[in-house]
């Protein structure tokens, strides 16, 4: 069986994260996340803004990371709008550009794990190809020297960890 193309895997990652955003209860917005500096509301705001930022990067436009807009009352719907913009940008991009779908899969997979964990959800039944592509991308380019503030040192993944747990551990999350 042939692996799916990058756009198909990216779409599945976006779709499943949109469904997870649809299920964030208002009562959980102040809860902690695996990202110590963010509560669920901050994480949701970051997740919803990510596809729009990636779309701008794919098109070669400047990205302002100084502020993250609020995801609003319907984060899943807003995320879907941004996701469609990203998919259009990816479809129109020249192959081999600097902002690859694998990079986007890495971002989606890590934050899917972050949000699912904050909500007490398992990631075991989610699409494994999304974090597998993201982890391959991260392993190829993320070193101890360039982890920056977003990624801590790689943590051990537990025995039998699913692909989302493995990418989260690589990104420095305690799984």
């Amino acid at each position: 069986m042939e692996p799916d193309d990058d756009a198909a895997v990216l779409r599945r990652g976006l779709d499943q994260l949109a469904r997870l955003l649809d299920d964030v209860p208002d009562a959980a917005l102040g809860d902690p996340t695996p990202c110590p500096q963010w509560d669920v509301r901050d994480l949701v705001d970051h997740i919803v803004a990510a596809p729009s930022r990636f779309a701008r990067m794919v098109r070669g436009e400047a990205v302002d990371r100084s502020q993250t807009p609020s995801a609003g009352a319907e984060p899943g719907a807003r995320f879907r709008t941004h996701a469609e913009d990203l998919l259009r940008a990816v479809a129109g991009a020249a192959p081999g550009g600097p902002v690859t779908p694998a990079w986007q899969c890495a971002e989606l997979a890590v934050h899917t794990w972050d949000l699912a964990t904050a909500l007490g959800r398992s990631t075991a039944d989610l699409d494994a190809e999304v974090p597998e592509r993201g982890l391959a991308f991260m392993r190829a380019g993320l070193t101890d020297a360039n982890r920056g503030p977003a990624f801590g040192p790689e943590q051990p993944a537990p025995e039998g960890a699913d692909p989302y747990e493995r990418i989260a551990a690589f990104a420095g999350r305690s799984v």
Side-chain angles (χ1 to χ4, degrees):
M1 181 165 86
E2 285 289 313
D4 287 333
D5 70 19
D6 290 339
V9 175
L10 179 58
R11 177 174 287 285
R12 290 196 311 267
L14 290 162
D15 287 346
Q16 69 188 10
L17 189 46
R19 287 189 301 272
L20 189 59
L21 287 164
D22 287 338
D23 291 340
V24 174
D26 289 341
L29 292 174
D31 290 353
T33 71
C35 308
Q37 71 275 24
W38 288 343
D39 61 15
V40 170
R41 180 185 319 276
D42 297 328
L43 178 59
V44 166
D45 289 347
H46 176 78
I47 289 169
V48 170
S52 180
R53 288 178 175 154
F54 272 119
R56 286 195 296 277
M57 291 167 61
V58 168
R59 291 189 295 260
E61 298 169 5
V63 175
D64 179 7
R65 296 181 189 269
S66 65
Q67 293 187 2
T68 299
S70 169
E74 294 186 35
R78 189 164 189 185
F79 180 82
R80 283 180 181 87
T81 299
H82 293 176
E84 288 303 320
D85 182 38
L86 172 59
L87 290 166
R88 282 190 302 276
V90 167
V99 184
T100 65
W103 178 3
Q104 297 156 39
C105 283
E107 171 92 3
L108 293 171
V110 170
H111 290 318
T112 295
W113 181 85
D114 289 336
L115 185 56
T117 299
L119 298 176
R121 297 272 194 71
S122 171
T123 51
D125 62 338
L126 297 178
D127 188 309
E129 201 168 352
V130 176
E132 287 166 356
R133 288 192 186 204
L135 183 56
F137 170 83
M138 290 176 77
R139 286 193 188 285
L142 189 60
T143 66
D144 290 339
N146 68 3
R147 282 183 170 259
F151 303 104
E154 180 178 1
Q155 301 297 306
E159 184 75 26
D162 72 48
Y164 288 87
E165 293 168 328
R166 287 195 302 274
I167 195 171
F170 186 79
R173 309 303 202 259
S174 294
V175 178

